[in-house]
Amino acid sequence: RAQTAATNSAAVDKEFAYEQTLMSAKPIGPADKPWEQSLSTNMVDTAKYKKAPPYRVCFSNASISNPWRVVGWKVMQAEADLHKSEIASLSYADAQDKDDKQISDIRAFVTGGKCDVLIVSPHTSDALTPVVEEACKSLPVITFDRNVRTDCPVTAVRTIGGYAYGMAGANFIVENMPKGGKVLMLRTAPGIDVFETRSDAAAKVFKAAGIKPIGVEFTGADNAKTKAVVSDYLSRVGKIDAVWVDFGAMSVAVAEAFEDAGQDYPIITGEDQEDYLQKWNQEGFKGIAPTYPAYQWRTALIAALDVLQGKPVYGPDWILPQPLITSANLAQYVDPKMPPLHYATCGCETLPGYPERWGGKK
Amino acid sequence: MSSMGAISIWTTEPEALLTMRDISKSFLGVRVLSHIGFDCRAGEVHALCGENGAGKSTLMKILSGAFPADEGTIVLDGTVRRFTHPSQARAAGIGIIHQELSLLPHRSVAENIYLGREPSRGGVVDRARMGRDARRALSRLGSTIEPQAQTGDLTIAEQQVVEIAKALAVDARVLVFDEPTAPLDVVESGKLFRVIAELRATGVAIIYISHRMREVFEIADRVTVLKDGRGMATLTAAQATPDAVIRLMVGRPISDLFPPRATRPPGAVVLQIQDGANGHLAGINLTLRAGEIMGVAGLEGSGKMELARAIFGDEPFTSGEITLLSGAAAAWSPREAVRRGVAFLPDDRKSEGLGLRQSLRDNALVVRRSLSRALALPSRGNRAPAIFDALFRKVEMRAADVDAPVGRLSGGNQQKVIVARWLAAEPRLWIVAEPTRGIDVGAKAAIYGLLRDYAESGGAVLMISSDLTEIIGESDRIAVMAGGRIVVELPPGASEEAIMAHAVHGPQVAEALA
Amino acid sequence: MTRGLASLRRINPTILVFVVLLAAICWMSPLYRTPAGLLSLLQRAAPVVILSCGQSFVLIAGGFDLASGSLITLVVVACALITGGDAGWTWVALLASYGIGAAVGVVNGVIVARGKVPSIIATLGTLLSVKGIAMMWSGGAPGGYLPANLRFFGRYVWRHVPLVGRFPVAVVVLIISIAIMAWLMHGTNFGRLLLMIGDNPRAAELAGAPVRRFRMLTFVISALASVTAGILLGGFSGVSVDVGTGYELQAISAAVIGGVVLLGGQGSMLGAVFGGLTLYALFTLLNLVGFPEPMRVAVQGIILIAAAALSARRGRRI
Amino acid sequence: MSGAAIPRGGLAKFRLPLALVICAAVVYAATALGTAQGEQLSWSGVMGLLQRMVALGIVAVGQTLVLLVGSIDLSVANLISVSAVIASHVMNGNTDAIALGVLAAIAIGILVGAVNGVLVAKLKVSPLIATLGVGLVLQGVLTTSYETLAGSVPASFRVLAYGRVAGLPLAILLLIVVVALAGFVLARTAAGYRLYGVGGNVQTARLAGIRTDRFIIGAHIAASVTAAISGLYLASWLGAGTPWVGRDGGYDLDSIAVVVIGGTLLSGGRGGVAGTIAGVFVFATIDAVFNMLQIDPFLGQVLRGVIVVGAVASYTIRTKAHVA
Ligand SMILES: Nc1ncnc2c1ncn2[C@@H]1O[C@H](COP(=O)(O)OP(=O)(O)OP(=O)(O)O)[C@@H](O)[C@H]1O
Ligand SMILES: Nc1ncnc2c1ncn2[C@@H]1O[C@H](COP(=O)(O)OP(=O)(O)OP(=O)(O)O)[C@@H](O)[C@H]1O
Ligand SMILES: [Mg+2]
Ligand SMILES: [Mg+2]
């Protein structure tokens, strides 16, 4: 879930600036396949891992306890279906959000000796570091989503980062909100690294623009609580001009709170979850969706296969682009046939089984 | 609180080992003991008598440190003592057998006997020694209970023996017996009395509480009578005639404990069992008619409780034929039995009879509610108070507040609430188990009267009891059980000796004797 | 006179606590000083109050129902999947939800009453299984929205109602639910026997009460209450995969705050209702004063302990 | 005064735990062979299986003690997080601070246990509520102050979780020590006997002269200390404490479930650590077997629920008494 929050402010500033440049940088790789693109140009040689197919791929997953991970896991399985001839088996271990179970799962994979490559989506970076190091000794390892604090994996698939995510929404608010407008910041929970960086970035942007949010509230990403919090704020301050969220699952609840109060929609930031995109598209409020693309689940498997085939891969960090959905390109992402909890940056449109596999209607 | 000042005022009598002076105690603002005093000498059996709720157990609990008195002093061996925890009383040499069984069902007999003072070396229990000592303590009571047996598997009587062994295993100078014989039969009681005699001979001061008047007169050197939380008098054995004691206890003489027997010939057959058998019982044949009270006697383990439970459907017969009011009673459960007009007064009222935190009203209405439609509420409306008044008058219940939790009542009054519950349901057959266990003589007379009235009005009663006096005094017929069988049926007024002969010697010998 | 004092003492202290909290809320925020504001508070509190009442049946009969949160999730998922956003299927979805609820309740009841598995363990098992079923059915992320006519119960507010202005539909659902449950608990033999069963099941059985059947029914009632709460919650806030998470402990907490005694034999619907209201009012107040979120959890813990300690003090006066 | 009930055989106590372990082991072995994963039966495979037991096993031993004494502890999950976080904060990568970190974690365990115990024994708060409340307080405080409590354990401390003695992981030794200690106290010492007494019936125990409150408080302290040890182990296993490690791990309800599966009565007074450890073994094999069979995680969740209920029902269903 998290690295410890960065406390060193100089380092924070540096990372902030770095991610800012990455957002505007042009990725290398095929333009129509963002999951094969990279913002880092560095490649690692994988000749020593080369093997003859078919491959036995093992995947230790933190969990599938939220819709993003569910969408992602289906993306990975669908990607595997594309490579039926090369993949003998895709063994899966689900750690149910338990670090200690994930460590045991990885060890069981290593001990079992039935894996040619190991993909890890770690639950907690620090916790998984030693066992990943252990695994690196016997087979090639790919990490994605969260990463671990070691260089031993062949590559760590990641997106630009939380700062980029956080600043995108905040910048949009700064640019579009009337002067002196009121901003409410909604956060999921404290102490979780990715959410911390997102809100740090937003707070920084607001501060630079001289905006002091009227409040920062934790909602646990719970819809009922989000609605109640927003309603309470509306009753307290009368009018709110923008709501910034660190997690897009809350956005529709925010919009509904305004509907229920009989008020006009403010600026609402979100994410590429379909319910938000569809609402945004329908109601035409001012919105923006930074993303945490679910196509990285494809990338991880692609990287694993590349490694086994001895093809060089981007590394040690494979930095994927992080598309920004704005009203200009909204039409490209919104799809009323997809279910509300689907993620639009799944990169799965061309995969076998789309859209039914993801709960969509033909 | 007043104890320090009390020393100088109360000089203990030289021969008294234990003196309790001026003890007062209130629960929730209700005074249950008021300036009670009494003393007990070494080598004396001192009986405490009184109606249910008179305060006997409360006084003894104060003595044993279960809770402190509000006022008053305890002087033991010339020293003023104040116990705030049972461990202190025990350390001072006071042993007690509480009225309620207090054993751990999941622990072994030995573990129960030595609970709280396990023989140990450096904290590690010497289990071998514990087993040996437990066996010795039990055999002193003439018991062969296995020290390693799980206590919950024992019968209530056996558990009581364990309870006694537990108290005897303390080197007590004062030993309190609070109704020790309530669950025991005559044979076992006899063994206990022998032990008490031994203890007395070795100079132990013994305080003895029982509602069985005969025992009291048999073993007591002196008798102190309590009434409504006050001490009435202390009588010597010579002064303590049954009449005198009962008059002090009840406030009036009780001329006839038992009502006259059935006046009319028995009516239609209410219950008929042919060759009834289950895991505990075999070859049960029994016919019970309306208007009859049938007593069932037998030693512990004879199967008399099992018979009651089988008829009531708690542990039904697995073979044989049982007919109730001319309908077959197969696949029987307590609920089914209650529906068909059977009432059951369990022998263990705390664990099987009452919801202690529920009000008198709710406890008295539970059967009516069980029988009525689930979504109706029959106790609503103007009739409700009248029902209670009538019921509680019938059972001579003086408790006022029908909304108070039943747990606050004394044992006897609790029993009356259960009786009232069944009267309200107007049953056809009433199985009563130990109906007067732990009940004072006044209330006993009332319950005997109630049962007889019930029979006279056309009901049938099956009365299981370990108290031979009540078996003989109340029954129209007496069945004696041994080894899970009914060994003989005796006419009313059979002698204790005759009943015991069959109960002790079982079928074969009894026939030979006959 | 002593009777008068006694009945005064019998007033549930939760009511007083609630009144104090409400006063504080009104003092903090002008919104809640209007009838419409109070009604919107009631609207949001409705699921917790209904859950607390349903849970109280189980608690009073001596058990626990930990499966209620999972069941809420299952209901919301089921409604989303059955309707797929199509208003025509709403009634089917509602019927199916109550059917599912009844089934879960019966399963819980049978495991506890017939299988004699302690209800904490039994409903822990169903908690896992029901949640797993919800996830399996939806594939982990339910497809489909809840149609507006289904969300009506939890979300819709009648406007321009005389006297109060705005009147949420959820409050009507709340009142009806409370009325039914209060009648069951206090106006029927069933409810009165539950208290006896919770106090001493063996005694109740030997007095002819259908102990196992009634115990089973308490789980069914609790489950049906969870379904109702789920419909309100789904209506209020839409589809998500963790709608119900944590509600089982909130329900138990609310009941305890309302003076329902764990392990049975004591409690009332009035207490359960005010326990639920108190818990929600507390959350609202902490929201209003801007107390940092994690510390609100801590405050909830302290309140819970205080309430239980208080009722223990009262209870000891048997 | 005759009559003799069947004496309890010395081994009867272990019949249920043994049956559980054998069943689970057979299923594990059969799955490993049936799915051609024989390596899971190798020494390191089995050690891996056993290591799955450690964190839950240690805290479950403490949970056994509180359940035996008739109480329950729902605060262990959050206490595990607190202990892990505090330990890694105090150690902060510094080998010299290991002792201090361990001490700090244990001290907090003792403190929390004492609070739980006093609430339950002295203030008569229902143990479920008391420990749930304390757990919430811990969670709130921890989340609030987590950022200031960041830290990690030094590599030398990770030996606890990763080190081996003669091929046997140290962690498993630690579990064995905790189990043996608790088992000895319960089965052989006067304190253990009295603990059963207090759990069986507080009034009975009190009337037998036992200072009952001390046992209730003591059991709670013991449970909290095991939670703290579990937290230390997790800090060592994971390299740093996180505020969610206990909660995500589900150690509160899981520890209760394994104790009950192991045959300890929820109402107290009967049971023991042998059963508990068997229950923990069952849980560990469930995880391992589901992995080997590639069971869908959601289906796994359903099955886990069914197994918990089924395991307990298999021996409660024959009892005649009512449970709640
Ligand atoms: N814990 C208690 N709380 C409240 N009242 C109590 C408590 N214990 C006893 N009482 C009350 O104190 C009075 C005396 O009870 P006690 O048990 O001493 O009577 P007793 O003489 O032993 O009667 P019995 O012969 O029925 O055993 C009764 O009115 C009883 O209701
Ligand atoms: N008269 C009483 N009847 C029933 N329970 C009591 C009574 N007095 C105290 N208790 C309760 O019994 C429990 C045992 O307390 P007691 O003082 O007997 O021993 P203890 O508290 O274990 O000893 P210590 O406090 O010295 O460790 C306490 O929680 C107390 O509330
Ligand atoms: Mg008494
Ligand atoms: Mg004390």
Coordinates of all heavy atoms in Angstrom, one line a residue, chain D residues 63-126:
Chain D
Q63 N -5.2 -15.2 22.8 CA -6.7 -15.2 22.7 C -7.2 -16.5 23.4 O -8.3 -16.4 24.1 CB -7.1 -15.3 21.2 CG -8.5 -15.0 20.9 CD -8.9 -13.6 21.2 OE1 -9.5 -13.2 22.2 NE2 -8.6 -12.7 20.2
T64 N -6.5 -17.6 23.4 CA -7.0 -18.8 24.1 C -7.1 -18.5 25.6 O -8.1 -18.8 26.2 CB -6.0 -19.9 23.9 OG1 -5.7 -20.1 22.5 CG2 -6.6 -21.2 24.4
L65 N -6.1 -17.8 26.1 CA -6.1 -17.5 27.6 C -7.3 -16.6 27.9 O -8.0 -16.9 28.9 CB -4.8 -16.8 28.0 CG -3.6 -17.6 27.8 CD1 -2.3 -16.8 28.2 CD2 -3.6 -18.9 28.6
V66 N -7.6 -15.6 27.1 CA -8.7 -14.7 27.5 C -10.0 -15.4 27.3 O -11.0 -15.3 28.1 CB -8.8 -13.4 26.7 CG1 -8.0 -12.3 27.5 CG2 -8.4 -13.5 25.3
L67 N -10.1 -16.2 26.3 CA -11.4 -17.0 26.1 C -11.6 -18.0 27.2 O -12.7 -18.1 27.8 CB -11.4 -17.7 24.7 CG -11.7 -16.9 23.5 CD1 -11.8 -17.7 22.3 CD2 -12.9 -16.0 23.6
L68 N -10.5 -18.6 27.7 CA -10.6 -19.6 28.8 C -11.1 -18.9 30.0 O -11.8 -19.5 30.8 CB -9.2 -20.2 29.0 CG -8.9 -21.4 28.1 CD1 -7.5 -21.9 28.5 CD2 -9.9 -22.5 28.2
V69 N -10.7 -17.7 30.2 CA -11.1 -17.0 31.5 C -12.4 -16.3 31.3 O -12.9 -15.7 32.2 CB -10.0 -16.0 31.9 CG1 -10.1 -14.7 31.2 CG2 -9.9 -15.8 33.4
G70 N -13.1 -16.6 30.1 CA -14.4 -16.2 30.0 C -14.5 -14.8 29.4 O -15.6 -14.2 29.4
S71 N -13.4 -14.3 28.9 CA -13.5 -12.9 28.2 C -13.2 -13.1 26.8 O -13.2 -14.2 26.2 CB -12.5 -12.1 28.9 OG -12.6 -10.7 28.5
I72 N -12.9 -12.0 26.1 CA -12.6 -12.1 24.7 C -11.7 -10.8 24.4 O -11.8 -9.9 25.1 CB -13.8 -12.1 23.8 CG1 -13.6 -12.6 22.4 CG2 -14.5 -10.7 23.8 CD1 -14.9 -13.0 21.7
D73 N -10.9 -10.9 23.3 CA -10.1 -9.7 23.0 C -10.2 -9.3 21.6 O -9.6 -10.0 20.7 CB -8.6 -9.9 23.5 CG -7.9 -8.6 23.4 OD1 -8.4 -7.6 22.8 OD2 -6.8 -8.5 24.0
L74 N -10.9 -8.3 21.3 CA -11.0 -7.8 19.9 C -10.0 -6.7 19.6 O -10.0 -6.2 18.4 CB -12.4 -7.3 19.6 CG -13.6 -8.3 19.6 CD1 -14.9 -7.6 19.4 CD2 -13.3 -9.3 18.4
S75 N -9.2 -6.3 20.5 CA -8.2 -5.3 20.3 C -6.9 -5.8 19.8 O -6.0 -5.0 19.4 CB -8.0 -4.5 21.6 OG -7.3 -5.2 22.5
V76 N -6.7 -7.1 19.7 CA -5.4 -7.6 19.3 C -5.0 -7.2 17.9 O -3.8 -6.9 17.8 CB -5.3 -9.2 19.4 CG1 -5.3 -9.6 20.8 CG2 -6.5 -9.8 18.7
A77 N -5.9 -7.1 17.0 CA -5.5 -6.7 15.6 C -4.8 -5.3 15.6 O -3.7 -5.2 15.1 CB -6.6 -6.7 14.7
N78 N -5.5 -4.4 16.2 CA -4.9 -3.0 16.3 C -3.7 -3.0 17.1 O -2.7 -2.2 16.9 CB -5.9 -2.0 16.7 CG -6.9 -1.7 15.6 OD1 -6.5 -1.5 14.5 ND2 -8.2 -1.7 15.9
L79 N -3.7 -3.8 18.2 CA -2.5 -3.8 19.1 C -1.3 -4.3 18.3 O -0.1 -3.9 18.5 CB -2.8 -4.6 20.3 CG -1.6 -4.6 21.3 CD1 -1.2 -3.3 21.7 CD2 -2.0 -5.4 22.6
I80 N -1.5 -5.3 17.5 CA -0.4 -5.9 16.6 C 0.2 -4.7 15.8 O 1.4 -4.5 15.7 CB -0.9 -7.0 15.7 CG1 -1.1 -8.3 16.6 CG2 0.1 -7.3 14.6 CD1 -1.7 -9.4 15.8
S81 N -0.7 -3.9 15.2 CA -0.2 -2.8 14.4 C 0.6 -1.8 15.3 O 1.7 -1.4 14.9 CB -1.3 -2.0 13.7 OG -2.1 -2.9 13.0
V82 N 0.0 -1.5 16.4 CA 0.7 -0.6 17.3 C 2.1 -1.1 17.7 O 3.1 -0.4 17.6 CB -0.1 -0.3 18.6 CG1 0.7 0.4 19.6 CG2 -1.4 0.4 18.2
S83 N 2.1 -2.4 18.1 CA 3.4 -2.9 18.5 C 4.4 -2.9 17.3 O 5.6 -2.5 17.5 CB 3.2 -4.3 19.0 OG 4.3 -5.1 18.8
A84 N 3.9 -3.3 16.1 CA 4.9 -3.3 15.0 C 5.4 -1.9 14.7 O 6.6 -1.7 14.4 CB 4.2 -3.9 13.8
V85 N 4.5 -1.0 14.7 CA 4.9 0.4 14.4 C 5.8 1.0 15.4 O 6.8 1.6 15.1 CB 3.6 1.3 14.2 CG1 4.0 2.8 14.2 CG2 2.9 0.9 13.0
I86 N 5.4 0.8 16.7 CA 6.3 1.3 17.8 C 7.7 0.7 17.7 O 8.7 1.4 17.8 CB 5.6 1.0 19.2 CG1 4.4 1.9 19.3 CG2 6.6 1.3 20.3 CD1 4.6 3.3 19.6
A87 N 7.7 -0.6 17.6 CA 9.0 -1.3 17.5 C 9.9 -0.7 16.4 O 11.0 -0.4 16.6 CB 8.8 -2.8 17.4
S88 N 9.3 -0.6 15.2 CA 10.1 -0.1 14.1 C 10.5 1.3 14.3 O 11.5 1.8 13.8 CB 9.5 -0.5 12.8 OG 8.2 0.0 12.7
H89 N 9.6 2.1 15.0 CA 9.9 3.5 15.2 C 11.1 3.6 16.2 O 12.0 4.3 16.0 CB 8.7 4.2 15.8 CG 8.9 5.6 16.2 ND1 9.3 6.6 15.3 CD2 9.0 6.2 17.4 CE1 9.5 7.7 16.0 NE2 9.3 7.5 17.3
V90 N 11.0 2.8 17.3 CA 12.0 2.9 18.3 C 13.4 2.4 17.7 O 14.4 3.0 17.9 CB 11.6 2.2 19.6 CG1 12.8 2.1 20.5 CG2 10.4 2.8 20.2
M91 N 13.3 1.3 17.0 CA 14.5 0.7 16.5 C 15.1 1.6 15.4 O 16.3 1.9 15.3 CB 14.3 -0.7 15.9 CG 13.9 -1.7 17.0 SD 13.6 -3.3 16.2 CE 12.8 -4.1 17.5
N92 N 14.2 2.1 14.5 CA 14.6 3.0 13.4 C 15.9 2.6 12.7 O 16.8 3.4 12.6 CB 14.7 4.4 14.0 CG 14.5 5.4 12.8 OD1 14.0 5.0 11.8 ND2 14.8 6.6 13.1
G93 N 16.0 1.3 12.4 CA 17.1 0.9 11.6 C 18.4 0.7 12.4 O 19.4 0.4 11.9
N94 N 18.3 0.9 13.7 CA 19.4 0.9 14.6 C 19.6 -0.4 15.4 O 18.7 -0.7 16.2 CB 19.3 2.1 15.5 CG 20.5 2.4 16.4 OD1 21.4 1.5 16.4 ND2 20.5 3.5 17.0
T95 N 20.6 -1.1 15.2 CA 20.8 -2.4 15.9 C 20.8 -2.2 17.4 O 20.3 -3.0 18.1 CB 22.1 -3.1 15.4 OG1 22.0 -3.2 14.0 CG2 22.2 -4.4 16.0
D96 N 21.4 -1.1 17.9 CA 21.6 -0.9 19.3 C 20.2 -0.8 20.0 O 20.1 -1.0 21.2 CB 22.4 0.3 19.6 CG 23.8 0.1 19.0 OD1 24.2 -1.1 18.9 OD2 24.5 1.1 18.7
A97 N 19.2 -0.3 19.2 CA 17.9 0.0 19.8 C 17.0 -1.2 19.8 O 15.8 -1.1 20.1 CB 17.3 1.2 19.1
I98 N 17.5 -2.4 19.3 CA 16.6 -3.5 19.3 C 15.9 -3.8 20.6 O 14.7 -3.9 20.7 CB 17.3 -4.8 18.7 CG1 17.6 -4.6 17.2 CG2 16.5 -6.0 18.9 CD1 18.3 -5.7 16.6
A99 N 16.8 -3.9 21.6 CA 16.2 -4.3 22.9 C 15.2 -3.2 23.4 O 14.1 -3.6 23.9 CB 17.4 -4.3 24.0
L100 N 15.5 -2.0 23.1 CA 14.6 -0.9 23.5 C 13.3 -1.0 22.8 O 12.2 -0.9 23.4 CB 15.2 0.4 23.2 CG 14.7 1.6 24.0 CD1 14.9 1.3 25.5 CD2 15.3 2.9 23.6
G101 N 13.4 -1.3 21.5 CA 12.1 -1.5 20.7 C 11.3 -2.6 21.2 O 10.1 -2.5 21.3
V102 N 11.9 -3.8 21.4 CA 11.2 -4.9 21.9 C 10.5 -4.6 23.3 O 9.3 -4.8 23.5 CB 12.1 -6.1 22.1 CG1 11.4 -7.2 22.8 CG2 12.6 -6.6 20.8
L103 N 11.3 -3.9 24.1 CA 10.8 -3.5 25.4 C 9.6 -2.6 25.3 O 8.6 -2.8 26.0 CB 11.9 -2.8 26.2 CG 12.2 -3.5 27.6 CD1 13.0 -4.7 27.3 CD2 12.8 -2.5 28.5
A104 N 9.7 -1.6 24.4 CA 8.6 -0.7 24.2 C 7.4 -1.4 23.8 O 6.3 -1.1 24.3 CB 9.0 0.4 23.2
A105 N 7.5 -2.3 22.8 CA 6.3 -3.0 22.3 C 5.7 -3.8 23.4 O 4.5 -3.8 23.6 CB 6.7 -3.9 21.1
I106 N 6.5 -4.5 24.2 CA 6.0 -5.4 25.2 C 5.3 -4.5 26.3 O 4.2 -4.8 26.8 CB 7.1 -6.2 25.9 CG1 7.8 -7.1 24.9 CG2 6.5 -7.0 27.0 CD1 7.1 -8.3 24.4
A107 N 5.9 -3.4 26.6 CA 5.4 -2.5 27.6 C 4.0 -2.0 27.2 O 3.1 -1.9 28.0 CB 6.3 -1.3 27.9
I108 N 3.9 -1.6 25.9 CA 2.6 -1.2 25.4 C 1.6 -2.3 25.5 O 0.4 -2.1 25.9 CB 2.7 -0.6 24.0 CG1 3.4 0.8 24.1 CG2 1.4 -0.5 23.3 CD1 3.4 1.5 22.8
G109 N 2.0 -3.5 25.2 CA 1.2 -4.6 25.3 C 0.6 -4.8 26.7 O -0.6 -5.0 27.0
I110 N 1.5 -4.7 27.7 CA 1.1 -4.8 29.1 C 0.1 -3.8 29.5 O -0.9 -4.0 30.1 CB 2.4 -4.8 30.0 CG1 3.2 -6.0 29.8 CG2 2.0 -4.7 31.5 CD1 4.5 -6.0 30.5
L111 N 0.4 -2.5 29.0 CA -0.5 -1.4 29.4 C -1.9 -1.6 28.8 O -2.9 -1.5 29.5 CB 0.1 -0.1 28.8 CG -0.7 1.1 29.1 CD1 -0.5 1.5 30.6 CD2 -0.2 2.3 28.2
V112 N -1.9 -2.0 27.5 CA -3.2 -2.2 26.8 C -4.0 -3.3 27.5 O -5.2 -3.3 27.8 CB -3.0 -2.4 25.3 CG1 -4.3 -2.8 24.7 CG2 -2.5 -1.2 24.7
G113 N -3.2 -4.4 27.8 CA -3.8 -5.5 28.4 C -4.4 -5.2 29.8 O -5.5 -5.6 30.2
A114 N -3.7 -4.3 30.5 CA -4.2 -3.9 31.8 C -5.4 -3.1 31.7 O -6.4 -3.3 32.5 CB -3.1 -3.1 32.6
V115 N -5.4 -2.2 30.7 CA -6.6 -1.4 30.5 C -7.8 -2.3 30.2 O -8.9 -2.2 30.8 CB -6.4 -0.4 29.4 CG1 -7.7 0.3 29.0 CG2 -5.4 0.7 29.8
N116 N -7.6 -3.2 29.2 CA -8.7 -4.2 28.9 C -9.2 -4.9 30.1 O -10.4 -5.0 30.3 CB -8.2 -5.2 27.9 CG -8.1 -4.7 26.4 OD1 -8.8 -3.7 26.1 ND2 -7.3 -5.2 25.6
G117 N -8.2 -5.4 30.8 CA -8.6 -6.2 32.0 C -9.3 -5.4 33.0 O -10.3 -5.9 33.6
V118 N -8.9 -4.2 33.3 CA -9.6 -3.4 34.3 C -11.0 -3.1 33.9 O -11.9 -3.2 34.6 CB -8.8 -2.1 34.6 CG1 -9.6 -1.2 35.4 CG2 -7.5 -2.5 35.4
L119 N -11.1 -2.8 32.6 CA -12.5 -2.5 32.1 C -13.4 -3.7 32.2 O -14.5 -3.5 32.7 CB -12.4 -2.1 30.6 CG -11.8 -0.7 30.2 CD1 -11.7 -0.6 28.7 CD2 -12.8 0.4 30.8
V120 N -12.9 -4.8 32.0 CA -13.7 -6.0 32.0 C -13.9 -6.4 33.5 O -15.1 -6.6 33.9 CB -13.0 -7.2 31.2 CG1 -13.8 -8.5 31.5 CG2 -13.0 -6.8 29.8
A121 N -12.9 -6.5 34.2 CA -13.0 -7.1 35.6 C -13.6 -6.1 36.6 O -14.4 -6.4 37.4 CB -11.6 -7.6 36.1
K122 N -13.1 -4.9 36.5 CA -13.4 -3.9 37.6 C -14.7 -3.1 37.2 O -15.5 -2.9 38.0 CB -12.3 -3.0 37.9 CG -11.0 -3.7 38.4 CD -11.3 -4.2 39.8 CE -10.0 -4.9 40.4 NZ -10.3 -5.7 41.6
L123 N -14.7 -2.6 35.9 CA -15.8 -1.8 35.5 C -16.9 -2.6 34.9 O -18.0 -2.1 34.6 CB -15.4 -0.7 34.5 CG -14.3 0.2 35.1 CD1 -14.0 1.3 34.0 CD2 -14.8 0.9 36.4
K124 N -16.7 -3.9 34.8 CA -17.8 -4.8 34.4 C -18.3 -4.5 33.0 O -19.5 -4.7 32.7 CB -19.0 -4.8 35.3 CG -18.6 -5.1 36.8 CD -18.2 -6.5 37.0 CE -17.7 -6.7 38.4 NZ -16.6 -7.7 38.5
V125 N -17.4 -3.9 32.1 CA -17.8 -3.7 30.8 C -17.8 -5.0 30.0 O -16.9 -5.8 30.2 CB -16.9 -2.7 30.1 CG1 -17.3 -2.4 28.7 CG2 -16.8 -1.4 30.9
S126 N -18.8 -5.2 29.2 CA -18.8 -6.4 28.4 C -17.5 -6.5 27.6 O -17.1 -5.6 27.0 CB -20.0 -6.4 27.5 OG -19.7 -7.1 26.3

